[in-house]
Amino acid sequence: MLPGVGVFGTGSTARVLVPMLKAEGFEVHALWGQSEDEARCLAEELSIPFHTSRSDDVLLHPDVDLVCIYIPPSMTRQIAVKALGIGKNVVCEKAATAVDSFKMVTAARYYPQLLSMMGNTLRFLPAFVAMHKLLADGYIGEMQVCDVRVYGPSLLDHSYGWTCEELMGGGGLHTVGSAIIDLLSFLTGARASRVHGLLRTFVQQKGLIRGIRRITSDDFCFFQMLMGGSSSSSSGVCCTVMLNFNMPGSFVHEVMIVGSSGRLVARGTELYGQRNGSKSEELLSGGGGWAGPESKDMPLPYLQGLSSMVKALRQSFQAHEERRSWARGPVALAPTFEDGLYVQTVVEAVKRSSGSGEWECVEVMSQEPDPNHNLCEALQRNKN
């Protein structure tokens, strides 16, 4: 028996997620929006029986056992932690800060019987599933270099909102870069030890966002990661990532991994490979077209990955008769909340590097910082 679903969010992801859930046999019982009007309009459009702007009304809904959270990052931690605390399975997007991510990790560890996974859909894209297997089988030999390019139109909303504010989780690095960081960790089987980055905000005002309002979220980001080596070592896989969201009307999504005996490159939803000595690339995965729902706001790799993730969720819950029970196998590829904490730690290290101009070490926190840290230091100095 599949669990009943409650969806948080009324954005582009929710608009395509709900039909995908229904197509796989899930019943979507409740929808949350930041305002009653937003929730009502989308609930009517998608035929969802209950809508609200009160989070507890969804979390406490008797028919909701799985909560899908696609809301502004600054709100994610609060909803995810509360959902786990009252016994709901959770699929959610990234949080705004590493501290928020750590609190989510703590909650997930406290309720290990519940599903708690990050919604990075790229891990489920068939091209990257195939790439992961080929890398493990040694198709390219020893991994040496990863190169990623993502170019596309602006990520900003038409009016002022969280997408305009770096501190609220807006910007290309946080929105798209976090998914790329997680994907590279998944593909290489390693984590970044050091990073170096550069962030820029070329468009600071536009349309309705003007006057005293200024955009602080980045629309261009370039960063490098040393994967697998220690913070003082030069060994490991070298990764370069370039994100540029100043290209209206076009979208480029390319992930290439080069090794000692060949290379693999995913362009959009298709995977190509070429071994050393071969005269041309060969198509290894994809190319069959997309028969699912269309979305002008969600690029095809993320749309197709979302569809594959929903199918995996169905398989996971179908393995058990009890609505809240799930099997780990079908969703084994999914990033955990621990992965989410690592990704947010890398994002913040890249931001620090952009400010300092130096390489920064990636150190994942093992305990929550004391909120009165500065006060405690002052007291300690006075005591001495």
Side-chain angles (χ1 to χ4, degrees), residues 42-360:
L42 190 59
E44 291 177 354
E45 178 184 332
L46 300 178
S47 301
I48 300 173
F50 178 78
H51 67 271
T52 182
S53 60
R54 291 168 50 89
S55 60
D56 286 355
D57 291 345
V58 175
L59 295 176
L60 297 174
H61 194 291
D63 295 322
V64 170
D65 302 295
L66 171 64
V67 176
C68 298
I69 306 170
Y70 291 88
I71 55 180
S74 58
M75 305 169 64
T76 297
R77 183 265 306 166
Q78 177 185 356
I79 304 298
V81 170
K82 184 179 284 189
L84 290 170
I86 59 178
K88 309 290 185 179
N89 295 295
V90 174
V91 177
C92 74
E93 272 290 348
K94 57 199 123 347
T97 67
V99 173
D100 281 354
S101 297
F102 185 83
K103 291 178 180 178
M104 291 165 58
V105 168
T106 301
R109 289 173 178 169
Y110 199 75
Y111 303 102
Q113 75 279 11
L114 295 173
L115 174 71
S116 56
M117 59 179 263
M118 305 300 296
N120 181 16
T121 61
L122 289 180
R123 286 200 185 200
F124 291 90
L125 184 68
F128 290 125
V129 174
M131 180 184 275
H132 181 261
K133 184 177 187 305
L134 287 167
L135 289 170
D137 291 343
Y139 182 93
I140 67 169
E142 182 182 357
M143 281 184 277
Q144 297 170 339
V145 176
C146 303
D147 184 74
V148 181
R149 297 183 302 133
V150 182
Y151 303 155
S154 174
L155 300 174
L156 299 172
D157 293 331
H158 295 296
S159 57
Y160 183 82
W162 72 270
T163 59
C164 304
E165 285 288 342
E166 179 262 337
L167 292 176
M168 295 179 68
L173 173 61
H174 199 280
T175 305
V176 177
S178 58
I180 297 299
I181 293 165
D182 177 71
L183 176 66
L184 291 177
S185 179
F186 167 67
L187 293 174
T188 63
R191 289 187 167 185
S193 56
R194 292 190 295 158
V195 298
H196 188 275
L198 175 69
L199 281 73
R200 287 290 183 267
T201 304
F202 289 110
V203 178
Q204 298 185 2
Q205 292 188 328
K206 61 175 288 186
L208 299 175
I209 310 167
R210 57 178 59 253
I212 62 171
R213 298 287 196 188
R214 284 200 172 272
I215 298 165
T216 61
S217 55
D218 62 281
D219 52 26
F220 173 85
C221 178
F222 172 79
F223 62 94
Q224 301 165 290
M225 299 187 295
L226 183 63
M227 309 283 285
S230 66
S231 59
S232 59
S233 170
S234 59
S235 63
V237 181
C238 301
C239 300
T240 63
V241 180
M242 182 175 289
L243 312 173
N244 187 354
F245 299 101
N246 294 290
M247 297 179 64
S250 63
F251 181 75
V252 173
H253 196 281
E254 183 175 292
V255 178
M256 179 169 61
I257 302 184
V258 180
S260 58
S261 59
R263 64 185 173 92
L264 290 165
V265 55
R267 298 189 185 98
T269 60
E270 298 177 342
L271 176 65
Y272 297 86
Q274 185 172 357
R275 297 180 188 272
N276 293 353
S278 175
K279 294 183 179 180
S280 61
E281 292 181 337
E282 58 177 328
L283 178 64
L284 301 174
S285 176
W290 168 244
E294 299 295 331
S295 172
K296 62 182 179 62
D297 297 318
M298 182 178 291
L300 187 56
Y302 298 86
L303 187 65
Q304 192 170 329
L306 181 64
S307 176
S308 297
M309 185 188 79
V310 172
K311 286 179 170 63
L313 283 171
R314 173 182 55 77
Q315 295 167 4
S316 176
F317 284 103
Q318 269 188 340
H320 291 268
E321 294 184 3
E322 209 278 320
R323 290 192 311 176
R324 294 189 182 182
S325 298
W326 56 284
R328 188 170 302 277
V331 292
L333 298 179
T336 64
F337 280 13
E338 283 84 356
D339 293 320
L341 172 59
Y342 155 73
V343 168
Q344 188 58 40
T345 303
V346 175
V347 166
E348 294 184 5
V350 171
K351 290 181 180 180
R352 289 198 309 273
S353 174
S354 182
S356 68
E358 304 289 339
W359 282 87
E360 297 283 346

